[in-house]
Amino acid sequence: MTVTIMASFYLGSPNRTRVREGLLQLARRVLNEQNCLRFDIHTGTDDPGQFILFHRWESRRDWQLFLNSDALHAFQDLFEDGVTDLVIKELTPHFVPTAASSVHAR
């Protein structure tokens, strides 16, 4: 069963560009090397210091392996200064729409 991870945090302006670039590199690396199905990076429209990440993994085991990966450990160094209010949630999908199952209201 797939698992979705939501991570939310705030970051002070001096580190935003560096962390954003690090997140993009991490996403590319993980999507190419691991069983990560999706890695979305969002920033607040009205607050560019707010970051929300969603990533979906083929299994909980794959998520746990990522937690111990060199890719994540290398990225964590960027988080040392300025990250506040970090929240990480592990979510279990109950319904994931596909193009064939989408329903449009009229």
Side-chain angles (χ1 to χ4, degrees), residues 22-101:
L23 282 170
L24 292 172
Q25 290 174 11
L26 177 66
R28 283 187 214 108
R29 181 173 173 183
V30 170
L31 284 167
N32 285 326
E33 292 181 8
Q34 313 230 357
N35 293 325
C36 183
L37 304 172
R38 189 171 184 111
F39 199 119
D40 296 331
I41 304 165
H42 301 265
T43 56
T45 301
D46 59 345
D47 183 356
Q50 178 186 29
F51 287 77
I52 301 175
L53 314 177
F54 291 95
H55 29 120
R56 179 170 291 147
W57 298 87
E58 287 187 16
S59 70
R60 187 170 193 274
R61 180 181 176 275
D62 293 321
W63 158 241
Q64 296 295 315
L65 289 171
F66 170 69
L67 287 176
N68 294 312
S69 71
D70 290 338
L72 182 61
H73 289 226
F75 176 75
Q76 285 175 326
D77 291 341
L78 293 175
F79 268 59
E80 292 301 316
D81 296 320
V83 171
T84 61
D85 299 325
L86 176 64
V87 174
I88 299 174
K89 297 280 187 180
E90 186 175 314
L91 309 167
T92 303
H94 290 277
F95 175 72
V96 179
T98 62
S101 68

